[in-house]
Amino acid sequence: MLELLDRGWRVIATAIAFSSFGLGGLLLRLVYFPLLQLIVRERARQTRLARLSIHHTFRLFIELMRVLGILRYDIVGAERLRRPGLLILANHPTLIDVVFLISLVPNADCVVKAALARNPFTRGPVRATGYICNDSGAGLVEDCVTSVHAGNNLIIFPEGTRTPVDGPMKLQRGAANIATRGPCTITPVTIRCEPLSLTKGLPWWKVPVRRMHFTIVVRDDIEVAPFLAGAGNEPALAARHLTDYLHDYFSTEKPAHAGA
Amino acid sequence: MTKQEMFDRLSAILQETFDIAPERIKPESRLYDDLDIDSIDAVDLIVKLKPIAGRRLQPDAFKSVRTLQDVVDALYGLMHDATA
Protein backbone atom coordinates (compact mmCIF):
# COMPACT_ATOMS: atom_id res chain seq x y z
CA MET A 1 0.00 0.00 0.00
CA LEU A 2 2.74 2.40 1.05
CA GLU A 3 4.69 1.40 -2.02
CA LEU A 4 1.72 2.18 -4.26
CA LEU A 5 1.32 5.59 -2.60
CA ASP A 6 5.01 6.32 -3.08
CA ARG A 7 4.81 5.38 -6.73
CA GLY A 8 1.64 7.44 -7.25
CA TRP A 9 3.28 10.43 -5.65
CA ARG A 10 6.31 10.10 -7.90
CA VAL A 11 4.06 10.18 -10.99
CA ILE A 12 2.49 13.44 -9.74
CA ALA A 13 5.90 14.81 -8.73
CA THR A 14 7.32 14.02 -12.17
CA ALA A 15 4.38 15.82 -13.78
CA ILE A 16 5.04 18.85 -11.56
CA ALA A 17 8.77 18.77 -12.33
CA PHE A 18 8.36 18.43 -16.09
CA SER A 19 5.71 21.17 -16.24
CA SER A 20 8.03 23.46 -14.25
CA PHE A 21 10.78 22.69 -16.72
CA GLY A 22 8.61 23.72 -19.70
CA LEU A 23 7.22 26.80 -17.95
CA GLY A 24 10.70 27.78 -16.80
CA GLY A 25 11.95 27.57 -20.38
CA LEU A 26 9.06 29.71 -21.57
CA LEU A 27 9.62 32.31 -18.82
CA LEU A 28 13.32 32.50 -19.60
CA ARG A 29 12.48 33.13 -23.23
CA LEU A 30 9.65 35.62 -22.74
CA VAL A 31 10.90 37.56 -19.70
CA TYR A 32 14.41 36.80 -18.53
CA PHE A 33 16.45 36.65 -21.76
CA PRO A 34 14.80 39.73 -23.35
CA LEU A 35 15.67 41.66 -20.17
CA LEU A 36 19.21 40.29 -20.24
CA GLN A 37 19.60 41.42 -23.85
CA LEU A 38 18.31 44.86 -22.92
CA ILE A 39 20.69 45.31 -20.01
CA VAL A 40 23.78 43.61 -21.45
CA ARG A 41 24.70 44.86 -24.91
CA GLU A 42 27.89 42.94 -25.63
CA ARG A 43 27.10 39.64 -27.38
CA ALA A 44 29.90 37.57 -25.79
CA ARG A 45 28.90 38.71 -22.29
CA GLN A 46 25.25 37.95 -23.08
CA THR A 47 26.15 34.41 -24.08
CA ARG A 48 28.29 33.89 -20.98
CA LEU A 49 25.55 35.17 -18.66
CA ALA A 50 22.88 33.15 -20.48
CA ARG A 51 24.95 29.96 -20.00
CA LEU A 52 25.53 30.78 -16.34
CA SER A 53 21.77 31.33 -15.94
CA ILE A 54 21.00 27.92 -17.47
CA HIS A 55 23.59 26.35 -15.16
CA HIS A 56 21.84 27.79 -12.08
CA THR A 57 18.36 27.03 -13.47
CA PHE A 58 19.35 23.37 -13.97
CA ARG A 59 20.88 23.22 -10.47
CA LEU A 60 17.57 24.46 -9.15
CA PHE A 61 15.67 21.92 -11.28
CA ILE A 62 17.78 19.03 -9.96
CA GLU A 63 17.16 20.25 -6.40
CA LEU A 64 13.43 20.45 -7.16
CA MET A 65 13.42 16.83 -8.32
CA ARG A 66 15.40 15.79 -5.24
CA VAL A 67 13.06 17.61 -2.85
CA LEU A 68 9.99 16.21 -4.62
CA GLY A 69 11.40 12.73 -4.07
CA ILE A 70 11.88 11.81 -7.73
CA LEU A 71 15.58 11.12 -7.43
CA ARG A 72 18.69 11.01 -5.27
CA TYR A 73 22.26 11.46 -6.45
CA ASP A 74 25.96 11.05 -5.65
CA ILE A 75 28.49 13.09 -7.57
CA VAL A 76 32.23 12.38 -7.45
CA GLY A 77 34.92 14.76 -8.72
CA ALA A 78 32.60 17.64 -9.72
CA GLU A 79 35.36 20.21 -9.01
CA ARG A 80 37.34 18.79 -11.95
CA LEU A 81 34.60 19.94 -14.33
CA ARG A 82 35.35 23.54 -13.40
CA ARG A 83 38.67 23.68 -15.27
CA PRO A 84 38.27 25.70 -18.51
CA GLY A 85 38.46 24.32 -22.06
CA LEU A 86 37.33 20.74 -21.43
CA LEU A 87 35.87 18.23 -23.85
CA ILE A 88 33.46 16.37 -21.57
CA LEU A 89 32.22 13.01 -22.90
CA ALA A 90 29.56 11.00 -21.09
CA ASN A 91 27.39 7.96 -21.57
CA HIS A 92 23.70 8.74 -21.99
CA PRO A 93 21.29 6.45 -20.10
CA THR A 94 18.48 8.94 -19.36
CA LEU A 95 16.57 12.00 -20.52
CA ILE A 96 18.00 14.27 -17.82
CA ASP A 97 21.75 13.51 -18.15
CA VAL A 98 22.43 16.85 -19.79
CA VAL A 99 20.54 18.64 -17.01
CA PHE A 100 22.88 17.03 -14.47
CA LEU A 101 26.01 17.85 -16.45
CA ILE A 102 25.09 21.49 -17.12
CA SER A 103 24.19 21.86 -13.43
CA LEU A 104 27.84 20.96 -12.73
CA VAL A 105 29.43 23.13 -15.46
CA PRO A 106 29.02 26.93 -15.31
CA ASN A 107 30.43 27.61 -18.81
CA ALA A 108 28.93 24.64 -20.64
CA ASP A 109 28.57 24.53 -24.40
CA CYS A 110 26.72 21.68 -26.08
CA VAL A 111 25.52 20.47 -29.42
CA VAL A 112 21.77 20.90 -29.62
CA LYS A 113 19.32 19.11 -31.85
CA ALA A 114 18.08 21.66 -34.40
CA ALA A 115 14.47 20.82 -33.38
CA LEU A 116 15.08 22.27 -29.90
CA ALA A 117 15.95 25.63 -31.46
CA ARG A 118 12.38 25.64 -32.85
CA ASN A 119 10.50 24.15 -29.87
CA PRO A 120 8.62 27.03 -28.13
CA PHE A 121 9.65 25.87 -24.64
CA THR A 122 13.35 25.48 -25.39
CA ARG A 123 13.89 28.00 -28.20
CA GLY A 124 14.65 30.99 -25.94
CA PRO A 125 17.41 29.35 -23.90
CA VAL A 126 18.91 27.53 -26.90
CA ARG A 127 19.26 30.77 -28.90
CA ALA A 128 20.41 32.99 -26.02
CA THR A 129 23.15 30.57 -24.95
CA GLY A 130 24.52 30.24 -28.48
CA TYR A 131 24.77 26.46 -28.10
CA ILE A 132 26.08 24.75 -31.24
CA CYS A 133 23.28 23.54 -33.54
CA ASN A 134 23.71 20.11 -35.13
CA ASP A 135 22.41 21.24 -38.53
CA SER A 136 25.70 22.83 -39.60
CA GLY A 137 26.87 19.62 -41.29
CA ALA A 138 30.54 19.25 -42.14
CA GLY A 139 31.53 22.36 -40.16
CA LEU A 140 30.22 20.87 -36.91
CA VAL A 141 33.47 19.22 -35.82
CA GLU A 142 35.35 22.46 -36.49
CA ASP A 143 32.80 24.51 -34.51
CA CYS A 144 33.20 22.12 -31.57
CA VAL A 145 37.02 22.34 -31.62
CA THR A 146 36.83 26.15 -31.77
CA SER A 147 34.51 26.19 -28.77
CA VAL A 148 36.85 24.07 -26.61
CA HIS A 149 39.89 26.14 -27.62
CA ALA A 150 37.96 29.28 -26.67
CA GLY A 151 37.76 27.93 -23.11
CA ASN A 152 34.22 26.57 -23.08
CA ASN A 153 33.49 23.19 -21.53
CA LEU A 154 31.86 21.28 -24.35
CA ILE A 155 29.54 18.44 -23.32
CA ILE A 156 29.04 15.63 -25.85
CA PHE A 157 27.26 12.30 -25.61
CA PRO A 158 29.23 10.21 -28.13
CA GLU A 159 26.24 7.90 -28.59
CA GLY A 160 24.33 10.81 -30.13
CA THR A 161 21.14 9.63 -28.48
CA ARG A 162 20.14 7.78 -25.33
CA THR A 163 21.57 4.26 -24.86
CA PRO A 164 19.11 1.65 -26.12
CA VAL A 165 17.73 -0.44 -23.26
CA ASP A 166 18.04 -3.67 -25.22
CA GLY A 167 20.86 -4.14 -27.63
CA PRO A 168 24.41 -2.88 -27.68
CA MET A 169 25.63 0.65 -27.17
CA LYS A 170 26.57 2.32 -30.46
CA LEU A 171 28.93 5.29 -30.61
CA GLN A 172 29.04 7.88 -33.39
CA ARG A 173 32.56 8.93 -34.36
CA GLY A 174 31.91 12.69 -34.08
CA ALA A 175 33.12 13.04 -30.48
CA ALA A 176 36.36 11.16 -31.17
CA ASN A 177 36.93 13.28 -34.28
CA ILE A 178 36.66 16.45 -32.18
CA ALA A 179 39.25 14.98 -29.80
CA THR A 180 41.74 13.87 -32.49
CA ARG A 181 41.38 16.98 -34.66
CA GLY A 182 41.56 19.48 -31.77
CA PRO A 183 43.50 17.79 -30.45
CA CYS A 184 41.53 17.95 -27.18
CA THR A 185 42.10 15.93 -24.02
CA ILE A 186 38.94 14.06 -22.99
CA THR A 187 37.33 14.36 -19.57
CA PRO A 188 35.10 11.28 -19.31
CA VAL A 189 32.05 11.26 -17.05
CA THR A 190 30.09 8.11 -16.29
CA ILE A 191 26.42 8.32 -15.45
CA ARG A 192 24.53 5.51 -13.78
CA CYS A 193 20.84 5.54 -12.90
CA GLU A 194 19.36 2.80 -10.70
CA PRO A 195 16.70 1.67 -11.24
CA LEU A 196 17.11 2.74 -14.82
CA SER A 197 14.33 5.08 -15.96
CA LEU A 198 13.59 7.97 -18.35
CA THR A 199 15.17 5.86 -21.10
CA LYS A 200 14.56 6.25 -24.82
CA GLY A 201 10.97 5.42 -25.73
CA LEU A 202 9.77 5.11 -22.12
CA PRO A 203 6.94 7.57 -21.30
CA TRP A 204 7.72 9.93 -18.40
CA TRP A 205 4.84 8.70 -16.23
CA LYS A 206 6.21 5.14 -16.12
CA VAL A 207 8.13 5.80 -12.93
CA PRO A 208 10.44 3.05 -11.64
CA VAL A 209 9.64 0.83 -8.63
CA ARG A 210 12.06 2.74 -6.43
CA ARG A 211 13.23 6.34 -6.45
CA MET A 212 15.94 6.85 -9.11
CA HIS A 213 19.48 7.04 -7.77
CA PHE A 214 22.05 8.78 -9.98
CA THR A 215 25.77 8.13 -9.55
CA ILE A 216 27.88 10.54 -11.58
CA VAL A 217 31.65 10.12 -11.58
CA VAL A 218 34.17 12.44 -13.23
CA ARG A 219 36.96 10.07 -14.33
CA ASP A 220 40.65 10.67 -15.11
CA ASP A 221 41.35 12.59 -18.31
CA ILE A 222 42.13 10.58 -21.45
CA GLU A 223 45.02 11.94 -23.56
CA VAL A 224 44.61 11.65 -27.32
CA ALA A 225 48.32 11.91 -28.24
CA PRO A 226 48.88 8.12 -27.99
CA PHE A 227 45.92 7.49 -30.30
CA LEU A 228 47.30 9.96 -32.85
CA ALA A 229 50.78 8.45 -32.63
CA GLY A 230 49.36 4.95 -33.07
CA ALA A 231 47.54 6.06 -36.22
CA GLY A 232 50.47 7.80 -37.89
CA ASN A 233 48.94 11.22 -37.10
CA GLU A 234 45.93 10.41 -39.27
CA PRO A 235 43.02 11.96 -37.32
CA ALA A 236 40.31 9.92 -39.07
CA LEU A 237 42.06 6.65 -38.22
CA ALA A 238 42.89 7.80 -34.67
CA ALA A 239 39.21 8.71 -34.23
CA ARG A 240 38.22 5.14 -35.18
CA HIS A 241 40.60 3.64 -32.60
CA LEU A 242 39.50 6.17 -29.99
CA THR A 243 35.82 5.41 -30.68
CA ASP A 244 36.47 1.69 -30.11
CA TYR A 245 38.30 2.54 -26.88
CA LEU A 246 35.47 4.80 -25.66
CA HIS A 247 32.93 2.15 -26.58
CA ASP A 248 34.61 -0.36 -24.26
CA TYR A 249 35.16 2.34 -21.64
CA PHE A 250 31.50 3.35 -21.44
CA SER A 251 30.03 -0.11 -22.10
CA THR A 252 31.30 -1.32 -18.73
CA GLU A 253 29.09 1.41 -17.22
CA LYS A 254 25.94 0.13 -18.88
CA PRO A 255 23.91 -1.60 -16.17
CA ALA A 256 21.33 -4.24 -16.89
CA HIS A 257 17.79 -2.87 -16.99
CA ALA A 258 16.20 -2.97 -13.56
CA GLY A 259 12.84 -3.87 -15.09
CA ALA A 260 10.06 -1.75 -13.63
CA MET B 1 45.00 7.90 -65.73
CA THR B 2 42.62 5.02 -66.36
CA LYS B 3 39.61 4.27 -64.23
CA GLN B 4 41.34 1.13 -62.93
CA GLU B 5 44.35 3.17 -61.78
CA MET B 6 42.02 5.59 -60.06
CA PHE B 7 40.28 2.76 -58.30
CA ASP B 8 43.61 1.40 -57.07
CA ARG B 9 44.59 4.81 -55.69
CA LEU B 10 41.19 5.15 -54.01
CA SER B 11 41.59 1.67 -52.54
CA ALA B 12 45.00 2.61 -51.09
CA ILE B 13 43.55 5.77 -49.48
CA LEU B 14 40.66 3.81 -47.93
CA GLN B 15 43.09 1.30 -46.41
CA GLU B 16 45.57 3.87 -45.09
CA THR B 17 43.18 6.54 -43.85
CA PHE B 18 40.20 4.55 -42.65
CA ASP B 19 41.71 1.13 -41.95
CA ILE B 20 39.31 -0.64 -44.31
CA ALA B 21 40.21 -4.26 -45.14
CA PRO B 22 41.11 -4.72 -48.85
CA GLU B 23 38.57 -7.52 -49.34
CA ARG B 24 35.74 -5.07 -48.50
CA ILE B 25 36.85 -2.64 -51.20
CA LYS B 26 34.90 -3.40 -54.38
CA PRO B 27 33.49 -1.09 -57.06
CA GLU B 28 29.94 -1.78 -55.87
CA SER B 29 30.73 -1.15 -52.16
CA ARG B 30 28.61 1.66 -50.78
CA LEU B 31 30.59 4.30 -48.87
CA TYR B 32 28.18 4.79 -45.99
CA ASP B 33 26.32 1.49 -45.72
CA ASP B 34 29.15 -0.96 -46.49
CA LEU B 35 32.34 0.90 -45.60
CA ASP B 36 31.09 3.06 -42.70
CA ILE B 37 32.42 6.29 -44.23
CA ASP B 38 30.51 9.06 -42.42
CA SER B 39 30.16 12.73 -43.39
CA ILE B 40 33.33 13.68 -41.48
CA ASP B 41 35.32 10.98 -43.31
CA ALA B 42 33.86 12.14 -46.64
CA VAL B 43 35.45 15.58 -46.18
CA ASP B 44 38.84 13.89 -45.52
CA LEU B 45 38.39 11.62 -48.50
CA ILE B 46 37.74 14.55 -50.84
CA VAL B 47 40.90 16.28 -49.57
CA LYS B 48 42.93 13.09 -50.25
CA LEU B 49 41.46 12.71 -53.74
CA LYS B 50 42.62 16.19 -54.69
CA PRO B 51 46.12 15.14 -55.84
CA ILE B 52 44.59 12.49 -58.13
CA ALA B 53 42.31 14.97 -59.83
CA GLY B 54 45.11 17.50 -59.82
CA ARG B 55 42.86 20.33 -58.75
CA ARG B 56 40.47 21.54 -56.09
CA LEU B 57 37.38 19.40 -55.71
CA GLN B 58 34.01 20.83 -54.88
CA PRO B 59 32.16 18.64 -52.38
CA ASP B 60 29.04 19.28 -54.50
CA ALA B 61 30.49 17.10 -57.26
CA PHE B 62 30.22 14.14 -54.85
CA LYS B 63 26.69 14.83 -53.64
CA SER B 64 25.11 11.95 -55.57
CA VAL B 65 27.97 9.54 -54.93
CA ARG B 66 26.96 6.27 -53.26
CA THR B 67 29.44 3.57 -54.32
CA LEU B 68 33.18 3.47 -54.99
CA GLN B 69 32.41 3.18 -58.72
CA ASP B 70 30.47 6.46 -58.41
CA VAL B 71 33.57 8.10 -56.87
CA VAL B 72 35.77 6.91 -59.74
CA ASP B 73 33.21 8.03 -62.34
CA ALA B 74 32.88 11.47 -60.72
CA LEU B 75 36.67 11.87 -60.58
CA TYR B 76 37.08 10.68 -64.18
CA GLY B 77 34.38 13.11 -65.31
CA LEU B 78 36.05 16.00 -63.49
CA MET B 79 39.47 15.28 -65.02
CA HIS B 80 38.08 15.09 -68.51
CA ASP B 81 36.24 18.37 -68.00
CA ALA B 82 39.55 19.89 -66.96
CA THR B 83 41.49 18.71 -69.99
CA ALA B 84 38.73 19.34 -72.51
Side-chain angles (χ1 to χ4, degrees):
Chain A
M1 182 63 197
L2 215 61
E3 219 168 82
L4 207 69
L5 262 178
D6 169 64
R7 216 164 165 177
W9 163 248
R10 277 184 292 122
V11 174
I12 297 167
T14 308
I16 296 172
F18 280 28
S19 321
S20 323
F21 187 89
L23 282 177
L26 209 56
L27 267 180
L28 285 174
R29 176 185 150 205
L30 296 178
V31 182
Y32 181 79
F33 286 130
L35 276 176
L36 182 72
Q37 275 159 20
L38 217 63
I39 298 164
V40 182
R41 286 312 201 176
E42 195 199 334
R43 181 80 183 118
R45 228 170 96 79
Q46 260 180 31
T47 307
R48 204 171 63 240
L49 285 171
R51 287 177 182 180
L52 196 61
S53 310
I54 297 293
H55 160 69
H56 288 300
T57 310
F58 280 9
R59 270 183 53 185
L60 200 70
F61 182 63
I62 297 282
E63 279 318 290
L64 174 73
M65 289 193 289
R66 192 182 61 79
V67 169
L68 286 174
I70 299 171
L71 54 79
R72 269 187 285 237
Y73 59 81
D74 289 309
I75 295 166
V76 182
E79 69 286 348
R80 298 185 45 251
L81 293 180
R82 293 182 171 258
R83 298 167 294 160
L86 301 180
L87 173 61
I88 300 169
L89 303 188
N91 61 322
H92 197 359
T94 81
L95 182 66
I96 54 175
D97 302 335
V98 75
V99 180
F100 264 108
L101 289 180
I102 292 182
S103 81
L104 298 172
V105 179
N107 64 333
D109 196 354
C110 33
V111 179
V112 178
K113 208 189 287 182
L116 291 182
R118 292 189 298 265
N119 178 312
F121 297 103
T122 50
R123 180 163 74 202
V126 165
R127 299 235 169 126
T129 50
Y131 290 149
I132 301 167
C133 253
N134 75 348
D135 56 2
S136 55
L140 186 58
V141 171
E142 220 170 292
D143 292 347
C144 289
V145 169
T146 308
S147 176
V148 174
H149 286 168
N152 298 312
N153 286 359
L154 180 66
I155 299 169
I156 306 256
F157 299 106
E159 295 166 77
T161 187
R162 276 172 276 167
T163 316
V165 174
D166 337 284
M169 175 186 273
K170 170 108 177 62
L171 262 59
Q172 307 289 325
R173 282 195 300 266
N177 269 297
I178 297 166
T180 59
R181 280 157 212 268
C184 309
T185 302
I186 294 168
T187 304
V189 177
T190 54
I191 301 172
R192 180 182 286 248
C193 171
E194 284 167 326
L196 188 56
S197 188
L198 297 175
T199 49
K200 190 109 191 151
L202 189 74
W204 64 266
W205 43 266
K206 288 232 165 151
V207 300
V209 273
R210 282 171 288 117
R211 195 188 298 188
M212 289 183 283
H213 189 118
F214 279 82
T215 310
I216 298 177
V217 184
V218 182
R219 310 268 171 179
D220 290 337
D221 287 355
I222 300 172
E223 298 293 336
V224 292
F227 289 93
L228 279 165
N233 276 324
E234 189 68 72
L237 188 55
R240 279 170 155 71
H241 298 162
L242 184 54
T243 301
D244 291 342
Y245 177 84
L246 290 172
H247 181 270
D248 293 344
Y249 189 97
F250 286 120
S251 288
T252 56
E253 266 310 303
K254 191 188 167 199
H257 195 245
Chain B
M1 193 184 293
T2 66
K3 284 194 173 184
Q4 184 56 48
E5 283 168 334
M6 274 185 195
F7 185 82
D8 294 341
R9 295 280 287 273
L10 177 61
S11 169
I13 293 171
L14 290 172
Q15 293 176 48
E16 286 160 20
T17 313
F18 306 116
D19 208 15
I20 294 169
E23 62 271 18
R24 290 170 63 200
I25 302 174
K26 300 175 198 128
E28 68 275 17
S29 306
R30 288 165 299 175
L31 288 168
Y32 180 75
D33 299 295
D34 301 328
L35 303 179
D36 196 22
I37 300 284
D38 62 18
S39 59
I40 305 169
D41 298 330
V43 175
D44 277 0
L45 183 60
I46 289 173
V47 170
K48 302 251 173 188
L49 289 174
K50 199 177 115 181
I52 302 180
R55 61 175 184 148
R56 259 186 86 85
L57 296 172
Q58 295 303 322
D60 283 351
F62 293 87
K63 270 257 157 69
S64 57
V65 159
R66 293 284 170 273
T67 66
L68 295 184
Q69 188 62 51
D70 293 342
V71 176
V72 169
D73 291 343
L75 264 181
Y76 194 81
L78 282 171
M79 284 176 75
H80 282 255
D81 280 352
T83 52

